[in-house]
């Protein structure tokens, strides 16, 4: 793309500000900027203006397999899960393409050190959790790791440097998700540098389409992988490919399942697994009407009590039918570094939008979902913020509670 073509394209979309500094750039920088502009997906901007919460259909609370019920059938589920793992039917997908802006570290989130007297990164802790399962199963499962262009090289290099934490490198596969432009409140795409468009990961909703685009559908087929367990990088107590969870899901006949915890309080910032017009749906905390969030059953429990922890098991067969369906685009209002009046600024407060599709929206498309309750203190220690709620501090406390030496 040359300057004239870029100018024509940007005029069409009202984004000419991207060329404001073109004349100041070296010719390499000009080429870089033109190439960024050529690759831009302007369609995400159509979602601006739709910042209001979505209209909810007819909501009802979802049932879950409770901790007590699971305990009663634990052995039977576990055997079924271990057998599925041993026959290679299950693989894991680590969602590690996010930027972790709230944590304020420029490293991939998984490289964050949660150790105190020794170094223990989130990646290492999660690989330790995996080892418990692979030791028990006597075999290793495939692990797909989704990164983005912004952290792929660092993530790969870190795994290599750590010798893949003793895991079989042939069973670890990296792939990149897509990026989307970011923009100001009034819809102007930001420049990250005068020669570079501001791009950010386009949410975790594209985890399966990006995996297919990276050519891994063939591997799933060849290896007979029928189920994919996706999990977030930022929960250090994450139980990955948990045999009990797998067994319960297989026996439920559902197309997917999600681990849930009882919400600590009506206002806790987790999505809630509900039924909407009869279909399993995760309603984000900011979309949930407060009167429903605080509704209680006769026994005092929250009616809408099951919060999701981003650990889901999906049937590959069903995913293959729905993964190209359009997912809703969510606008995330964030602090985005950008060029303003010729200077790069790093705001501490949200200033503009990122565009994201979310994995939770796939659950609805799957048609049926088993909610599987787990004990919060054993499985949910999110590392979202530097301090306070869901922070490094709270995650450390929970790790200690679970006997992890920090
Ligand atoms: P979050 O929604 O917490 O986003 O991600 P984030 O980018 O990590 O953190 P903030 O909001 O900027 O502070 C939940 C999970 O989804 C992954 C993250 O890596 C994390 O495991 N994710 C998020 C992706 O893989 N891709 C994305 O585009 C966004």
């Amino acid at each position: 793309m040359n300057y004239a073509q870029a100018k024509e394209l940007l005029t069409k979309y009202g984004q000419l500000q991207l060329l404001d500094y073109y004349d100041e750039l070296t010719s390499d920088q000009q080429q870089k900027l033109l190439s960024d502009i050529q690759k831009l997906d302007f369609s995400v901007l159509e979602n601006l203006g739709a910042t209001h919460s979505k209209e909810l259909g007819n909501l009802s609370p979802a049932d879950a397999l409770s901790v007590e019920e699971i305990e009663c059938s634990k052995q039977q589920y576990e055997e079924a899960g271990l057998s599925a793992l041993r026959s290679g039917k299950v693989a894991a997908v680590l969602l590690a393409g996010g930027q972790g802006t709230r944590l304020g570290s420029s490293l991939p989130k998984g490289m964050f050190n949660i150790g105190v007297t020794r170094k223990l990164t989130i990646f290492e802790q999660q690989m330790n959790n995996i080892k418990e399962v692979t030791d028990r199963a006597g075999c290793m499962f495939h692990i797909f790791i989704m990164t983005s262009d912004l952290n792929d090289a660092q993530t790969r290099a870190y795994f290599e440097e750590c010798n893949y934490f003793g895991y079989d490198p042939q069973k670890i596969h990296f792939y990149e998700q897509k990026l989307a432009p970011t923009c100001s409140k009034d819809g102007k795409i930001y420049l990250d540098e005068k020669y570079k468009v501001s791009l950010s990961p386009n949410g975790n909703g594209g985890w399966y389409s990006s995996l297919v685009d990276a050519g891994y559908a063939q591997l799933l087929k060849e290896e007979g992988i029928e189920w994919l367990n996706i999990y977030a990088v930022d929960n250090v107590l994450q139980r990955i490919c948990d045999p009990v969870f797998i067994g319960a899901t297989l026996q439920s006949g559902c197309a997917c399942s999600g681990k849930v915890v009882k919400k600590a309080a009506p206002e806790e910032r987790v999505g809630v697994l509900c039924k909407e017009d009869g279909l399993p749906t995760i309603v984000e905390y900011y979309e949930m009407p407060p009167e429903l969030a605080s509704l209680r059953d006769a026994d005092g429990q929250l009616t809408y009590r099951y919060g999701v922890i981003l650990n889901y098991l999906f049937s590959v067969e069903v995913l293959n039918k729905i993964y190209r369906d359009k997912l809703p685009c969510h606008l995330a209002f964030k602090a985005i570094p950008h060029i303003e009046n010729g200077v790069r600024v790093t705001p501490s407060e949200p200033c503009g939008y990122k565009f994201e599709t979310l994995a939770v929206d796939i659950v609805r498309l799957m048609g049926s979902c088993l909610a599987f309750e787990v004990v919060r203190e054993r499985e949910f220690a999110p590392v979202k913020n530097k301090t306070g709620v869901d922070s490094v501090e709270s995650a450390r406390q929970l790790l200690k509670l679970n006997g992890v030496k920090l």
Side-chain angles (χ1 to χ4, degrees):
M1 169 169 279
N2 60 29
Y3 178 82
Q5 289 165 327
K7 195 168 172 194
E8 191 185 332
L9 184 69
L10 295 176
T11 307
K12 180 170 154 202
Y13 288 103
Q15 300 290 344
L16 263 180
Q17 77 286 352
L18 294 178
L19 291 172
D20 275 356
Y21 309 99
Y22 189 83
D23 292 338
E24 295 175 29
L25 305 179
T26 64
S27 70
D28 278 357
Q29 290 174 332
Q30 289 179 338
Q31 283 316 309
K32 156 89 182 118
L33 182 62
L34 293 177
S35 144
D36 274 10
I37 292 170
Q38 184 172 22
K39 286 188 254 165
L40 272 179
D41 174 9
F42 293 97
S43 69
V44 291
L45 299 171
E46 290 161 18
N47 298 292
L48 284 166
T51 51
H52 54 81
S53 293
K54 69 171 183 183
E55 287 283 311
L56 290 170
N58 195 0
L59 275 196
S60 56
D63 283 335
L65 207 52
S66 69
V67 169
E68 296 74 27
E69 286 168 318
I70 295 166
E71 198 51 44
C72 289
S73 308
K74 190 172 169 190
Q75 200 187 341
Q76 178 206 345
Y77 290 151
E78 191 170 29
E79 274 164 24
L82 286 170
S83 152
L85 282 169
R86 289 180 186 132
S87 54
K89 286 188 183 155
V90 191
V93 182
L94 167 58
L95 306 180
Q99 277 181 302
T101 43
R102 281 170 287 174
L103 208 50
S105 157
S106 56
L107 290 172
K109 212 174 195 177
M111 286 174 67
F112 193 87
N113 181 20
I114 42 153
V116 179
T117 61
R118 64 177 181 127
K119 188 173 175 199
L120 177 66
T121 63
I122 297 182
F123 281 141
E124 185 175 2
Q125 173 57 29
Q126 290 191 332
M127 292 305 286
N128 290 345
N129 294 347
I130 286 181
K131 191 165 182 303
E132 283 177 24
V133 177
T134 53
D135 282 353
R136 180 116 176 69
C139 64
M140 291 187 190
F141 43 82
H142 286 273
I143 306 175
F144 297 90
I145 301 181
M146 183 168 83
T147 61
S148 85
D149 182 51
L150 308 178
N151 65 14
D152 185 71
Q154 273 177 307
T155 306
R156 284 176 195 254
Y158 182 65
F159 269 75
E160 198 181 336
E161 183 192 315
C162 298
N163 235 336
Y164 299 88
F165 307 96
Y167 212 80
D168 178 358
Q170 305 290 331
K171 294 220 154 146
I172 298 191
H173 317 276
F174 296 89
Y175 69 99
E176 283 185 31
Q177 68 171 97
K178 297 203 174 70
L179 299 175
T182 70
C183 72
S184 64
K185 269 201 246 176
D186 54 358
K188 296 292 176 193
I189 296 176
Y190 280 139
L191 281 173
D192 183 39
E193 298 285 354
K194 290 179 179 177
Y195 57 89
K196 194 169 147 199
V197 175
S198 167
L199 299 169
S200 78
N202 67 349
N204 54 28
W207 69 271
Y208 189 67
S209 54
S210 295
L211 189 136
V212 172
D213 292 345
Y216 285 124
Q218 188 61 23
L219 182 72
L220 298 184
K221 216 170 171 183
E222 280 165 13
E223 295 284 303
I225 296 168
E226 296 175 7
W227 293 88
L228 291 172
N229 182 193
I230 68 163
Y231 63 103
V233 73
D234 47 22
N235 174 6
V236 284
L237 285 180
Q238 196 79 263
R239 303 281 145 202
I240 299 131
C241 286
D242 167 3
V244 183
F245 181 45
I246 296 169
T249 308
L250 295 182
Q251 292 187 12
S252 73
C254 289
C256 72
S257 56
K259 287 198 168 185
V260 296
V261 292
K262 280 207 185 91
K263 272 179 71 174
E267 57 282 357
E268 187 182 3
R269 295 176 153 220
V270 286
V272 173
L273 190 59
C274 304
K275 285 209 153 161
E276 187 189 15
D277 302 326
L279 285 172
T281 301
I282 288 135
V283 181
E284 288 295 349
Y285 62 89
Y286 49 84
E287 290 168 346
M288 191 73 166
E291 62 281 10
L292 289 189
S294 54
L295 199 65
R296 292 194 185 262
D297 288 351
D299 62 2
Q301 295 200 80
L302 290 172
T303 305
Y304 290 88
R305 57 180 163 273
Y306 293 119
V308 287
I309 61 170
L310 224 174
N311 187 324
Y312 301 96
L313 196 60
F314 287 99
S315 149
V316 172
E317 189 187 348
V318 183
L319 275 174
N320 282 336
K321 294 185 189 142
I322 56 96
Y323 77 100
R324 294 290 183 202
D325 289 5
K326 197 167 162 47
L327 291 174
C329 179
H330 298 250
L331 272 67
F333 193 47
K334 300 257 174 161
I336 305 168
H338 61 277
I339 299 287
E340 205 168 288
N341 302 322
V343 180
R344 190 167 195 274
V345 293
T346 310
S348 53
E349 292 301 317
C351 58
Y353 294 113
K354 293 183 175 185
F355 299 89
E356 301 188 334
T357 59
L358 302 180
V360 290
D361 289 323
I362 300 177
V363 170
R364 186 183 173 82
L365 298 176
M366 298 294 286
S368 57
C369 178
L370 170 75
F372 180 97
E373 192 197 354
V374 297
V375 178
R376 167 188 287 268
E377 291 74 21
R378 255 190 263 143
E379 301 210 17
F380 192 39
V383 186
K384 298 276 183 198
N385 307 304
K386 271 194 227 164
T387 52
V389 180
D390 297 343
S391 67
V392 183
E393 292 160 7
S394 58
R396 280 185 180 141
Q397 275 167 13
L398 285 162
L399 279 172
K400 280 191 203 152
L401 200 73
N402 281 274
V404 178
K405 194 175 161 290
L406 296 175

